[in-house]
Amino acid sequence: MTPEVLHALARFLAERGLCAGDLDVRRIGDGHSNLTYLVSDGTHRVVVRRPPPPPTPPGAHDMLREAGFLDALRHTPVPVPTVLATAEAGEVLDVPCYVMSFTEGPVVTTATPAPLDTPALRRRIGEALVDTLADLHAVDWRAAGLGERGRPDGFNARHLRRMSRLVADPDGGPPPHFAAVQSWLAAHVPAESGAAVVHNDYRIGNVILAPDGTVAAVLDWELATIGDPLFDVGYFLASVPAADSPLTPTQAMGTAMLEEGYPTRAQLAARYARRTGRDLTDLSWYTTLALWKLAVLYEYGRRRAVHGEGDPYYADARLVRSFLDAAHRAAGLPVPELAEESR
């Protein structure tokens, strides 16, 4: 942050009684989307969330929408940080941002830290992830004030169509390497299993853990909406690595779950079914959709990156290919050979 931005942030926080005096600001998190900063005056700690530097795709990185979901969930069983302040573009930064409470605890990605690194506590973490997701899907979203935050009717087909447009050719068709999975998804769209708050990026790396292995806070609500809760389940399971399968980029950010004690994908799915009573017969469709959607988003990011826009991390076409291969496997489709010129 520039000295001018730091001064504006210090004034903004001081006026709201959140911090006072000189600030220590450091980037936290390892994501490739919105930016998160831990801000401290030596006594108080808060967290500031803002979008990535512009340009950003239309409708993406809506910080005030994210803050709205957090605020709506604050009195539910779902553990979330407390929104302390919001700011429109130009009020503090050149983009909208918000301030939330700091939650103490680890975010687990590639290894489970001590003292949580025992088989018993690892199992508790996996079970707590499922239980928290079940609690989220049980929230009365209308009573929470989220009735205008999504369109659950027709969510599955609409989600598929909207995502496909991000990478469609001028005639509206999919790129050749996306076509088989997209056709399979379109031919097997299930009726919605219900309507619930959907996090849309629920995985181990997006929660903070408590000392007993339960979930202390769920983070990164940028993509949250009202839709089919089984999409969250499919996405969560797609983020869980398996020892006998190649890692996707999302699974690579959660390899701790390969350690002894963590439940398998099948065990996680079975616990969710027991907790919620939902029928998981069509789970493979939701898992395939999640992997295909990630391939779409990474391909969209790749095209921007090769033109010098956005995060250069996405420039590697192998990231897209990894998700597409996993989507083929999830759908039971043969994984196509990669053309030599595309390697």
Side-chain angles (χ1 to χ4, degrees):
M1 292 186 180
T2 66
E4 293 78 14
V5 170
L6 275 175
H7 178 74
L9 179 61
R11 184 181 67 250
F12 180 81
L13 295 176
E15 289 172 350
R16 287 152 181 80
L18 300 175
C19 287
D22 294 336
L23 300 179
D24 176 69
V25 179
R26 64 182 178 90
R27 174 91 180 269
I28 56 175
D30 58 358
H32 295 277
S33 183
N34 297 316
L35 308 181
T36 308
Y37 297 90
L38 178 61
V39 180
S40 173
D41 63 4
T43 303
H44 308 95
R45 288 185 292 180
V46 297
V47 175
V48 175
R49 287 268 288 171
R50 58 149 292 167
T56 57
H61 311 293
D62 189 337
M63 291 291 88
L64 300 185
R65 176 184 169 88
E66 178 173 297
F69 268 91
L70 288 174
D71 202 44
L73 293 168
R74 71 189 186 282
H75 297 309
T76 72
V78 182
V80 294
T82 301
V83 176
L84 303 173
T86 61
E88 299 283 354
E91 193 173 350
V92 180
L93 309 175
D94 59 347
V95 291
C97 65
Y98 72 91
V99 185
M100 64 182 176
S101 59
F102 173 72
T103 303
E104 191 76 56
V107 174
V108 174
T109 53
T110 58
T112 308
L116 295 173
D117 58 341
T118 68
L121 282 174
R122 292 188 191 112
R123 176 161 294 278
R124 181 178 297 175
I125 292 168
E127 293 172 347
L129 288 169
V130 172
D131 293 346
T132 301
L133 193 60
D135 287 342
L136 173 63
H137 295 160
V139 166
D140 185 337
W141 46 276
R142 294 184 181 89
L146 294 170
E148 303 301 319
R149 295 289 186 169
R151 293 184 294 152
D153 293 341
F155 176 84
N156 292 334
R158 188 173 60 253
H159 203 57
L160 178 61
R161 289 194 303 269
R162 186 170 68 248
M163 287 296 105
S164 67
R165 288 196 291 267
L166 285 179
V167 294
D169 62 28
D171 296 323
H177 46 310
F178 282 78
V181 174
Q182 186 171 322
S183 295
W184 183 89
L185 288 167
H188 296 87
V189 178
E192 283 69 39
S193 68
V197 179
V198 176
H199 183 279
N200 250 327
D201 192 14
Y202 190 81
R203 53 189 175 84
I204 193 171
N206 274 341
V207 305
I208 296 173
L209 296 176
D212 63 353
T214 58
V215 175
V218 182
L219 307 175
D220 291 0
W221 293 84
E222 170 198 351
L223 301 174
T225 190
I226 307 300
D228 189 333
L230 291 190
F231 177 77
D232 264 350
V233 181
Y235 184 97
F236 170 55
L237 295 178
S239 77
V240 176
D244 58 350
S245 299
L247 294 175
T248 66
T250 304
Q251 291 166 357
M253 293 187 285
T255 50
M257 296 191 77
L258 292 170
E259 296 167 355
E260 181 186 0
Y262 280 105
T264 64
R265 294 175 190 165
Q267 291 168 335
L268 293 166
R271 186 177 182 91
Y272 180 88
R274 288 195 301 271
R275 276 292 309 269
T276 64
R278 287 197 170 90
D279 181 0
L280 302 189
T281 301
D282 294 316
L283 185 57
S284 62
W285 187 88
Y286 294 93
T287 304
T288 303
L289 176 66
L291 292 163
W292 173 85
K293 176 182 175 179
L294 285 164
V296 167
L297 293 174
Y298 270 63
E299 172 63 13
Y300 182 80
R302 186 194 68 80
R303 294 178 184 183
R304 296 184 70 225
V306 298
H307 289 98
E309 299 178 353
D311 191 336
Y313 161 80
Y314 293 103
D316 188 350
R318 291 173 298 181
L319 303 178
V320 178
R321 182 72 193 197
S322 174
F323 284 121
L324 279 177
D325 287 354
H328 279 82
R329 289 190 291 269
L333 299 171
V335 177
E337 290 292 328
L338 184 61
E340 185 66 34
E341 61 269 18
S342 301
R343 293 181 189 272

mmCIF file of all heavy atoms in Angstrom, residues 140-186:
data_model
loop_
_atom_site.group_PDB
_atom_site.id
_atom_site.type_symbol
_atom_site.label_atom_id
_atom_site.label_comp_id
_atom_site.label_asym_id
_atom_site.label_seq_id
_atom_site.Cartn_x
_atom_site.Cartn_y
_atom_site.Cartn_z
ATOM 1 N N ASP A 140 -31.963 -20.849 7.283
ATOM 2 C CA ASP A 140 -33.171 -20.273 6.686
ATOM 3 C C ASP A 140 -32.761 -18.976 5.996
ATOM 4 O O ASP A 140 -32.691 -17.922 6.619
ATOM 5 C CB ASP A 140 -34.219 -20.012 7.773
ATOM 6 C CG ASP A 140 -35.552 -19.525 7.200
ATOM 7 O OD1 ASP A 140 -35.571 -18.980 6.075
ATOM 8 O OD2 ASP A 140 -36.573 -19.662 7.894
ATOM 9 N N TRP A 141 -32.464 -19.063 4.709
ATOM 10 C CA TRP A 141 -31.866 -17.928 4.005
ATOM 11 C C TRP A 141 -32.852 -16.782 3.829
ATOM 12 O O TRP A 141 -32.440 -15.623 3.758
ATOM 13 C CB TRP A 141 -31.279 -18.362 2.663
ATOM 14 C CG TRP A 141 -32.144 -19.243 1.838
ATOM 15 C CD1 TRP A 141 -32.276 -20.602 1.928
ATOM 16 C CD2 TRP A 141 -33.006 -18.844 0.764
ATOM 17 N NE1 TRP A 141 -33.155 -21.071 0.976
ATOM 18 C CE2 TRP A 141 -33.621 -20.020 0.247
ATOM 19 C CE3 TRP A 141 -33.306 -17.618 0.174
ATOM 20 C CZ2 TRP A 141 -34.517 -19.981 -0.817
ATOM 21 C CZ3 TRP A 141 -34.199 -17.580 -0.887
ATOM 22 C CH2 TRP A 141 -34.792 -18.747 -1.371
ATOM 23 N N ARG A 142 -34.107 -17.072 3.772
ATOM 24 C CA ARG A 142 -35.089 -15.981 3.693
ATOM 25 C C ARG A 142 -35.134 -15.212 5.005
ATOM 26 O O ARG A 142 -35.126 -13.978 5.017
ATOM 27 C CB ARG A 142 -36.470 -16.530 3.336
ATOM 28 C CG ARG A 142 -36.564 -17.124 1.929
ATOM 29 C CD ARG A 142 -37.985 -17.553 1.624
ATOM 30 N NE ARG A 142 -38.112 -18.156 0.301
ATOM 31 C CZ ARG A 142 -37.944 -19.451 0.053
ATOM 32 N NH1 ARG A 142 -37.627 -20.289 1.056
ATOM 33 N NH2 ARG A 142 -38.084 -19.929 -1.168
ATOM 34 N N ALA A 143 -35.183 -15.941 6.118
ATOM 35 C CA ALA A 143 -35.209 -15.284 7.422
ATOM 36 C C ALA A 143 -33.925 -14.504 7.679
ATOM 37 O O ALA A 143 -33.939 -13.498 8.404
ATOM 38 C CB ALA A 143 -35.423 -16.319 8.526
ATOM 39 N N ALA A 144 -32.820 -14.948 7.078
ATOM 40 C CA ALA A 144 -31.544 -14.255 7.247
ATOM 41 C C ALA A 144 -31.428 -13.015 6.372
ATOM 42 O O ALA A 144 -30.415 -12.305 6.430
ATOM 43 C CB ALA A 144 -30.389 -15.215 6.935
ATOM 44 N N GLY A 145 -32.441 -12.742 5.554
ATOM 45 C CA GLY A 145 -32.423 -11.556 4.707
ATOM 46 C C GLY A 145 -31.727 -11.745 3.379
ATOM 47 O O GLY A 145 -31.309 -10.770 2.747
ATOM 48 N N LEU A 146 -31.604 -13.001 2.936
ATOM 49 C CA LEU A 146 -30.886 -13.295 1.700
ATOM 50 C C LEU A 146 -31.826 -13.688 0.558
ATOM 51 O O LEU A 146 -31.401 -14.285 -0.428
ATOM 52 C CB LEU A 146 -29.870 -14.419 1.946
ATOM 53 C CG LEU A 146 -28.725 -14.063 2.904
ATOM 54 C CD1 LEU A 146 -27.918 -15.304 3.271
ATOM 55 C CD2 LEU A 146 -27.813 -12.999 2.287
ATOM 56 N N GLY A 147 -33.100 -13.349 0.688
ATOM 57 C CA GLY A 147 -34.070 -13.747 -0.316
ATOM 58 C C GLY A 147 -33.829 -13.190 -1.697
ATOM 59 O O GLY A 147 -34.294 -13.747 -2.696
ATOM 60 N N GLU A 148 -33.092 -12.076 -1.796
ATOM 61 C CA GLU A 148 -32.826 -11.449 -3.096
ATOM 62 C C GLU A 148 -31.419 -11.744 -3.619
ATOM 63 O O GLU A 148 -30.967 -11.106 -4.564
ATOM 64 C CB GLU A 148 -33.019 -9.933 -2.982
ATOM 65 C CG GLU A 148 -34.391 -9.504 -2.488
ATOM 66 C CD GLU A 148 -35.509 -9.998 -3.387
ATOM 67 O OE1 GLU A 148 -35.330 -9.947 -4.620
ATOM 68 O OE2 GLU A 148 -36.536 -10.454 -2.859
ATOM 69 N N ARG A 149 -30.715 -12.679 -2.990
ATOM 70 C CA ARG A 149 -29.309 -12.913 -3.318
ATOM 71 C C ARG A 149 -29.070 -14.019 -4.331
ATOM 72 O O ARG A 149 -27.929 -14.393 -4.579
ATOM 73 C CB ARG A 149 -28.535 -13.239 -2.040
ATOM 74 C CG ARG A 149 -28.468 -12.090 -1.045
ATOM 75 C CD ARG A 149 -27.571 -10.980 -1.549
ATOM 76 N NE ARG A 149 -27.400 -9.936 -0.547
ATOM 77 C CZ ARG A 149 -26.527 -8.959 -0.623
ATOM 78 N NH1 ARG A 149 -25.718 -8.891 -1.681
ATOM 79 N NH2 ARG A 149 -26.451 -8.046 0.310
ATOM 80 N N GLY A 150 -30.113 -14.566 -4.909
ATOM 81 C CA GLY A 150 -29.917 -15.614 -5.901
ATOM 82 C C GLY A 150 -31.243 -16.078 -6.460
ATOM 83 O O GLY A 150 -32.313 -15.703 -5.975
ATOM 84 N N ARG A 151 -31.165 -16.912 -7.503
ATOM 85 C CA ARG A 151 -32.360 -17.481 -8.134
ATOM 86 C C ARG A 151 -32.221 -18.999 -8.105
ATOM 87 O O ARG A 151 -31.650 -19.599 -9.017
ATOM 88 C CB ARG A 151 -32.500 -16.975 -9.564
ATOM 89 C CG ARG A 151 -32.800 -15.468 -9.663
ATOM 90 C CD ARG A 151 -33.012 -15.074 -11.115
ATOM 91 N NE ARG A 151 -31.791 -15.218 -11.894
ATOM 92 C CZ ARG A 151 -31.745 -15.463 -13.201
ATOM 93 N NH1 ARG A 151 -32.879 -15.642 -13.876
ATOM 94 N NH2 ARG A 151 -30.594 -15.551 -13.833
ATOM 95 N N PRO A 152 -32.742 -19.641 -7.053
ATOM 96 C CA PRO A 152 -32.517 -21.084 -6.935
ATOM 97 C C PRO A 152 -33.245 -21.924 -7.975
ATOM 98 O O PRO A 152 -32.750 -22.997 -8.338
ATOM 99 C CB PRO A 152 -33.021 -21.396 -5.515
ATOM 100 C CG PRO A 152 -33.955 -20.274 -5.174
ATOM 101 C CD PRO A 152 -33.412 -19.072 -5.884
ATOM 102 N N ASP A 153 -34.376 -21.467 -8.474
ATOM 103 C CA ASP A 153 -35.095 -22.241 -9.493
ATOM 104 C C ASP A 153 -34.283 -22.273 -10.788
ATOM 105 O O ASP A 153 -33.878 -21.233 -11.310
ATOM 106 C CB ASP A 153 -36.467 -21.632 -9.760
ATOM 107 C CG ASP A 153 -37.409 -21.753 -8.574
ATOM 108 O OD1 ASP A 153 -37.142 -22.598 -7.700
ATOM 109 O OD2 ASP A 153 -38.398 -20.987 -8.518
ATOM 110 N N GLY A 154 -34.055 -23.476 -11.295
ATOM 111 C CA GLY A 154 -33.279 -23.612 -12.527
ATOM 112 C C GLY A 154 -31.799 -23.344 -12.355
ATOM 113 O O GLY A 154 -31.083 -23.114 -13.337
ATOM 114 N N PHE A 155 -31.316 -23.385 -11.117
ATOM 115 C CA PHE A 155 -29.920 -23.036 -10.814
ATOM 116 C C PHE A 155 -28.929 -23.872 -11.617
ATOM 117 O O PHE A 155 -27.957 -23.343 -12.169
ATOM 118 C CB PHE A 155 -29.678 -23.223 -9.309
ATOM 119 C CG PHE A 155 -28.255 -22.997 -8.871
ATOM 120 C CD1 PHE A 155 -27.792 -21.726 -8.593
ATOM 121 C CD2 PHE A 155 -27.380 -24.067 -8.721
ATOM 122 C CE1 PHE A 155 -26.487 -21.513 -8.172
ATOM 123 C CE2 PHE A 155 -26.073 -23.874 -8.302
ATOM 124 C CZ PHE A 155 -25.621 -22.596 -8.026
ATOM 125 N N ASN A 156 -29.149 -25.181 -11.697
ATOM 126 C CA ASN A 156 -28.141 -26.054 -12.308
ATOM 127 C C ASN A 156 -27.952 -25.766 -13.797
ATOM 128 O O ASN A 156 -26.821 -25.575 -14.269
ATOM 129 C CB ASN A 156 -28.524 -27.518 -12.087
ATOM 130 C CG ASN A 156 -28.417 -27.918 -10.632
ATOM 131 O OD1 ASN A 156 -27.653 -27.335 -9.869
ATOM 132 N ND2 ASN A 156 -29.196 -28.914 -10.229
ATOM 133 N N ALA A 157 -29.036 -25.738 -14.551
ATOM 134 C CA ALA A 157 -28.927 -25.492 -15.996
ATOM 135 C C ALA A 157 -28.413 -24.078 -16.256
ATOM 136 O O ALA A 157 -27.601 -23.861 -17.163
ATOM 137 C CB ALA A 157 -30.275 -25.707 -16.668
ATOM 138 N N ARG A 158 -28.891 -23.115 -15.472
ATOM 139 C CA ARG A 158 -28.460 -21.729 -15.673
ATOM 140 C C ARG A 158 -26.978 -21.560 -15.355
ATOM 141 O O ARG A 158 -26.249 -20.854 -16.054
ATOM 142 C CB ARG A 158 -29.306 -20.792 -14.813
ATOM 143 C CG ARG A 158 -29.073 -19.321 -15.103
ATOM 144 C CD ARG A 158 -30.053 -18.439 -14.354
ATOM 145 N NE ARG A 158 -29.958 -18.594 -12.905
ATOM 146 C CZ ARG A 158 -30.840 -19.223 -12.141
ATOM 147 N NH1 ARG A 158 -31.921 -19.776 -12.693
ATOM 148 N NH2 ARG A 158 -30.676 -19.314 -10.840
ATOM 149 N N HIS A 159 -26.524 -22.227 -14.296
ATOM 150 C CA HIS A 159 -25.104 -22.175 -13.913
ATOM 151 C C HIS A 159 -24.232 -22.715 -15.046
ATOM 152 O O HIS A 159 -23.202 -22.120 -15.398
ATOM 153 C CB HIS A 159 -24.917 -23.010 -12.644
ATOM 154 C CG HIS A 159 -23.728 -22.643 -11.829
ATOM 155 N ND1 HIS A 159 -23.511 -21.380 -11.336
ATOM 156 C CD2 HIS A 159 -22.670 -23.388 -11.405
ATOM 157 C CE1 HIS A 159 -22.385 -21.367 -10.646
ATOM 158 N NE2 HIS A 159 -21.855 -22.566 -10.677
ATOM 159 N N LEU A 160 -24.663 -23.821 -15.620
ATOM 160 C CA LEU A 160 -23.922 -24.431 -16.723
ATOM 161 C C LEU A 160 -23.869 -23.485 -17.919
ATOM 162 O O LEU A 160 -22.800 -23.290 -18.529
ATOM 163 C CB LEU A 160 -24.578 -25.757 -17.099
ATOM 164 C CG LEU A 160 -23.980 -26.532 -18.273
ATOM 165 C CD1 LEU A 160 -22.540 -26.911 -18.004
ATOM 166 C CD2 LEU A 160 -24.833 -27.784 -18.544
ATOM 167 N N ARG A 161 -24.996 -22.890 -18.277
ATOM 168 C CA ARG A 161 -25.020 -21.982 -19.426
ATOM 169 C C ARG A 161 -24.145 -20.749 -19.191
ATOM 170 O O ARG A 161 -23.398 -20.324 -20.079
ATOM 171 C CB ARG A 161 -26.457 -21.538 -19.714
ATOM 172 C CG ARG A 161 -27.359 -22.613 -20.289
ATOM 173 C CD ARG A 161 -28.629 -22.004 -20.866
ATOM 174 N NE ARG A 161 -29.366 -21.220 -19.876
ATOM 175 C CZ ARG A 161 -30.312 -21.722 -19.086
ATOM 176 N NH1 ARG A 161 -30.611 -23.019 -19.160
ATOM 177 N NH2 ARG A 161 -30.958 -20.946 -18.238
ATOM 178 N N ARG A 162 -24.248 -20.174 -17.999
ATOM 179 C CA ARG A 162 -23.492 -18.948 -17.719
ATOM 180 C C ARG A 162 -21.994 -19.196 -17.768
ATOM 181 O O ARG A 162 -21.246 -18.411 -18.339
ATOM 182 C CB ARG A 162 -23.906 -18.387 -16.355
ATOM 183 C CG ARG A 162 -23.271 -17.037 -16.059
ATOM 184 C CD ARG A 162 -23.862 -16.393 -14.832
ATOM 185 N NE ARG A 162 -23.512 -17.114 -13.613
ATOM 186 C CZ ARG A 162 -24.360 -17.786 -12.865
ATOM 187 N NH1 ARG A 162 -25.637 -17.893 -13.223
ATOM 188 N NH2 ARG A 162 -23.970 -18.403 -11.766
ATOM 189 N N MET A 163 -21.563 -20.293 -17.183
ATOM 190 C CA MET A 163 -20.141 -20.598 -17.202
ATOM 191 C C MET A 163 -19.647 -20.880 -18.618
ATOM 192 O O MET A 163 -18.554 -20.481 -19.003
ATOM 193 C CB MET A 163 -19.852 -21.799 -16.293
ATOM 194 C CG MET A 163 -19.941 -21.517 -14.814
ATOM 195 S SD MET A 163 -18.681 -20.321 -14.242
ATOM 196 C CE MET A 163 -19.696 -18.873 -14.019
ATOM 197 N N SER A 164 -20.459 -21.576 -19.403
ATOM 198 C CA SER A 164 -20.020 -21.933 -20.752
ATOM 199 C C SER A 164 -19.777 -20.696 -21.610
ATOM 200 O O SER A 164 -18.914 -20.703 -22.496
ATOM 201 C CB SER A 164 -21.045 -22.854 -21.416
ATOM 202 O OG SER A 164 -22.265 -22.175 -21.664
ATOM 203 N N ARG A 165 -20.520 -19.630 -21.354
ATOM 204 C CA ARG A 165 -20.351 -18.411 -22.152
ATOM 205 C C ARG A 165 -18.984 -17.762 -21.940
ATOM 206 O O ARG A 165 -18.510 -17.011 -22.805
ATOM 207 C CB ARG A 165 -21.465 -17.411 -21.831
ATOM 208 C CG ARG A 165 -22.826 -17.820 -22.388
ATOM 209 C CD ARG A 165 -23.801 -16.651 -22.400
ATOM 210 N NE ARG A 165 -24.200 -16.253 -21.052
ATOM 211 C CZ ARG A 165 -25.279 -16.716 -20.424
ATOM 212 N NH1 ARG A 165 -26.073 -17.609 -21.020
ATOM 213 N NH2 ARG A 165 -25.592 -16.285 -19.223
ATOM 214 N N LEU A 166 -18.340 -18.027 -20.821
ATOM 215 C CA LEU A 166 -17.050 -17.393 -20.538
ATOM 216 C C LEU A 166 -15.960 -17.831 -21.516
ATOM 217 O O LEU A 166 -15.016 -17.086 -21.756
ATOM 218 C CB LEU A 166 -16.603 -17.704 -19.110
ATOM 219 C CG LEU A 166 -17.311 -16.973 -17.976
ATOM 220 C CD1 LEU A 166 -16.758 -17.428 -16.631
ATOM 221 C CD2 LEU A 166 -17.158 -15.458 -18.120
ATOM 222 N N VAL A 167 -16.090 -19.038 -22.059
ATOM 223 C CA VAL A 167 -15.034 -19.546 -22.949
ATOM 224 C C VAL A 167 -15.587 -19.926 -24.321
ATOM 225 O O VAL A 167 -14.890 -20.539 -25.128
ATOM 226 C CB VAL A 167 -14.308 -20.755 -22.321
ATOM 227 C CG1 VAL A 167 -13.528 -20.330 -21.080
ATOM 228 C CG2 VAL A 167 -15.285 -21.875 -21.986
ATOM 229 N N ALA A 168 -16.828 -19.577 -24.615
ATOM 230 C CA ALA A 168 -17.442 -19.960 -25.884
ATOM 231 C C ALA A 168 -16.754 -19.280 -27.058
ATOM 232 O O ALA A 168 -16.240 -18.161 -26.939
ATOM 233 C CB ALA A 168 -18.923 -19.604 -25.873
ATOM 234 N N ASP A 169 -16.783 -19.959 -28.215
ATOM 235 C CA ASP A 169 -16.244 -19.350 -29.427
ATOM 236 C C ASP A 169 -17.275 -18.359 -29.984
ATOM 237 O O ASP A 169 -18.376 -18.218 -29.443
ATOM 238 C CB ASP A 169 -15.875 -20.432 -30.453
ATOM 239 C CG ASP A 169 -17.070 -21.261 -30.908
ATOM 240 O OD1 ASP A 169 -18.211 -20.744 -30.890
ATOM 241 O OD2 ASP A 169 -16.872 -22.420 -31.295
ATOM 242 N N PRO A 170 -16.940 -17.637 -31.065
ATOM 243 C CA PRO A 170 -17.885 -16.633 -31.591
ATOM 244 C C PRO A 170 -19.256 -17.185 -31.958
ATOM 245 O O PRO A 170 -20.240 -16.444 -31.975
ATOM 246 C CB PRO A 170 -17.150 -16.089 -32.822
ATOM 247 C CG PRO A 170 -15.696 -16.278 -32.503
ATOM 248 C CD PRO A 170 -15.628 -17.567 -31.753
ATOM 249 N N ASP A 171 -19.333 -18.475 -32.239
ATOM 250 C CA ASP A 171 -20.618 -19.087 -32.571
ATOM 251 C C ASP A 171 -21.349 -19.645 -31.347
ATOM 252 O O ASP A 171 -22.411 -20.254 -31.478
ATOM 253 C CB ASP A 171 -20.414 -20.206 -33.592
ATOM 254 C CG ASP A 171 -19.883 -19.682 -34.913
ATOM 255 O OD1 ASP A 171 -20.302 -18.573 -35.315
ATOM 256 O OD2 ASP A 171 -19.046 -20.374 -35.528
ATOM 257 N N GLY A 172 -20.754 -19.460 -30.163
ATOM 258 C CA GLY A 172 -21.380 -19.932 -28.935
ATOM 259 C C GLY A 172 -21.018 -21.347 -28.548
ATOM 260 O O GLY A 172 -21.526 -21.869 -27.549
ATOM 261 N N GLY A 173 -20.126 -21.981 -29.313
ATOM 262 C CA GLY A 173 -19.729 -23.357 -29.013
ATOM 263 C C GLY A 173 -18.563 -23.412 -28.049
ATOM 264 O O GLY A 173 -17.825 -22.433 -27.881
ATOM 265 N N PRO A 174 -18.352 -24.571 -27.414
ATOM 266 C CA PRO A 174 -17.239 -24.708 -26.478
ATOM 267 C C PRO A 174 -15.921 -24.937 -27.202
ATOM 268 O O PRO A 174 -15.904 -25.421 -28.346
ATOM 269 C CB PRO A 174 -17.631 -25.945 -25.665
ATOM 270 C CG PRO A 174 -18.415 -26.775 -26.629
ATOM 271 C CD PRO A 174 -19.182 -25.796 -27.480
ATOM 272 N N PRO A 175 -14.796 -24.607 -26.581
ATOM 273 C CA PRO A 175 -13.502 -25.011 -27.147
ATOM 274 C C PRO A 175 -13.474 -26.530 -27.279
ATOM 275 O O PRO A 175 -14.130 -27.240 -26.497
ATOM 276 C CB PRO A 175 -12.491 -24.537 -26.085
ATOM 277 C CG PRO A 175 -13.214 -23.492 -25.296
ATOM 278 C CD PRO A 175 -14.655 -23.893 -25.309
ATOM 279 N N PRO A 176 -12.747 -27.064 -28.256
ATOM 280 C CA PRO A 176 -12.786 -28.513 -28.518
ATOM 281 C C PRO A 176 -12.502 -29.363 -27.281
ATOM 282 O O PRO A 176 -13.176 -30.376 -27.060
ATOM 283 C CB PRO A 176 -11.701 -28.697 -29.585
ATOM 284 C CG PRO A 176 -11.656 -27.377 -30.294
ATOM 285 C CD PRO A 176 -11.918 -26.338 -29.240
ATOM 286 N N HIS A 177 -11.538 -28.972 -26.468
ATOM 287 C CA HIS A 177 -11.174 -29.796 -25.318
ATOM 288 C C HIS A 177 -12.187 -29.687 -24.178
ATOM 289 O O HIS A 177 -12.128 -30.460 -23.224
ATOM 290 C CB HIS A 177 -9.766 -29.467 -24.832
ATOM 291 C CG HIS A 177 -9.455 -28.003 -24.695
ATOM 292 N ND1 HIS A 177 -9.694 -27.095 -25.697
ATOM 293 C CD2 HIS A 177 -8.921 -27.296 -23.677
ATOM 294 C CE1 HIS A 177 -9.323 -25.885 -25.299
ATOM 295 N NE2 HIS A 177 -8.871 -25.976 -24.082
ATOM 296 N N PHE A 178 -13.130 -28.746 -24.245
ATOM 297 C CA PHE A 178 -14.197 -28.630 -23.252
ATOM 298 C C PHE A 178 -15.471 -29.357 -23.690
ATOM 299 O O PHE A 178 -16.355 -29.593 -22.877
ATOM 300 C CB PHE A 178 -14.554 -27.156 -23.027
ATOM 301 C CG PHE A 178 -13.595 -26.393 -22.158
ATOM 302 C CD1 PHE A 178 -12.381 -25.948 -22.653
ATOM 303 C CD2 PHE A 178 -13.911 -26.104 -20.840
ATOM 304 C CE1 PHE A 178 -11.505 -25.238 -21.855
ATOM 305 C CE2 PHE A 178 -13.043 -25.394 -20.030
ATOM 306 C CZ PHE A 178 -11.836 -24.962 -20.532
ATOM 307 N N ALA A 179 -15.564 -29.697 -24.952
ATOM 308 C CA ALA A 179 -16.847 -30.089 -25.537
ATOM 309 C C ALA A 179 -17.435 -31.361 -24.944
ATOM 310 O O ALA A 179 -18.639 -31.424 -24.662
ATOM 311 C CB ALA A 179 -16.690 -30.240 -27.049
ATOM 312 N N ALA A 180 -16.621 -32.389 -24.744
ATOM 313 C CA ALA A 180 -17.168 -33.674 -24.300
ATOM 314 C C ALA A 180 -17.795 -33.552 -22.914
ATOM 315 O O ALA A 180 -18.914 -34.039 -22.683
ATOM 316 C CB ALA A 180 -16.074 -34.740 -24.301
ATOM 317 N N VAL A 181 -17.094 -32.908 -22.003
ATOM 318 C CA VAL A 181 -17.632 -32.761 -20.645
ATOM 319 C C VAL A 181 -18.854 -31.855 -20.655
ATOM 320 O O VAL A 181 -19.866 -32.144 -20.001
ATOM 321 C CB VAL A 181 -16.559 -32.221 -19.684
ATOM 322 C CG1 VAL A 181 -17.169 -31.943 -18.315
ATOM 323 C CG2 VAL A 181 -15.420 -33.218 -19.545
ATOM 324 N N GLN A 182 -18.789 -30.762 -21.410
ATOM 325 C CA GLN A 182 -19.930 -29.855 -21.455
ATOM 326 C C GLN A 182 -21.173 -30.557 -22.010
ATOM 327 O O GLN A 182 -22.280 -30.369 -21.497
ATOM 328 C CB GLN A 182 -19.594 -28.626 -22.288
ATOM 329 C CG GLN A 182 -20.689 -27.562 -22.271
ATOM 330 C CD GLN A 182 -20.243 -26.273 -22.916
ATOM 331 O OE1 GLN A 182 -19.094 -25.853 -22.774
ATOM 332 N NE2 GLN A 182 -21.144 -25.620 -23.630
ATOM 333 N N SER A 183 -20.991 -31.371 -23.037
ATOM 334 C CA SER A 183 -22.127 -32.106 -23.605
ATOM 335 C C SER A 183 -22.699 -33.095 -22.594
ATOM 336 O O SER A 183 -23.925 -33.248 -22.474
ATOM 337 C CB SER A 183 -21.697 -32.840 -24.872
ATOM 338 O OG SER A 183 -21.330 -31.926 -25.883
ATOM 339 N N TRP A 184 -21.806 -33.779 -21.869
ATOM 340 C CA TRP A 184 -22.260 -34.734 -20.848
ATOM 341 C C TRP A 184 -23.038 -34.020 -19.755
ATOM 342 O O TRP A 184 -24.106 -34.487 -19.328
ATOM 343 C CB TRP A 184 -21.054 -35.460 -20.267
ATOM 344 C CG TRP A 184 -21.418 -36.516 -19.256
ATOM 345 C CD1 TRP A 184 -21.702 -37.826 -19.498
ATOM 346 C CD2 TRP A 184 -21.560 -36.339 -17.839
ATOM 347 N NE1 TRP A 184 -22.005 -38.484 -18.328
ATOM 348 C CE2 TRP A 184 -21.921 -37.585 -17.289
ATOM 349 C CE3 TRP A 184 -21.401 -35.254 -16.982
ATOM 350 C CZ2 TRP A 184 -22.129 -37.778 -15.924
ATOM 351 C CZ3 TRP A 184 -21.620 -35.432 -15.616
ATOM 352 C CH2 TRP A 184 -21.979 -36.675 -15.101
ATOM 353 N N LEU A 185 -22.536 -32.886 -19.308
ATOM 354 C CA LEU A 185 -23.229 -32.127 -18.271
ATOM 355 C C LEU A 185 -24.605 -31.677 -18.755
ATOM 356 O O LEU A 185 -25.606 -31.799 -18.038
ATOM 357 C CB LEU A 185 -22.396 -30.905 -17.862
ATOM 358 C CG LEU A 185 -21.138 -31.175 -17.037
ATOM 359 C CD1 LEU A 185 -20.264 -29.927 -16.978
ATOM 360 C CD2 LEU A 185 -21.509 -31.620 -15.623
ATOM 361 N N ALA A 186 -24.660 -31.152 -19.976
ATOM 362 C CA ALA A 186 -25.934 -30.660 -20.504
ATOM 363 C C ALA A 186 -26.955 -31.781 -20.662
ATOM 364 O O ALA A 186 -28.160 -31.569 -20.501
ATOM 365 C CB ALA A 186 -25.697 -29.971 -21.846
#
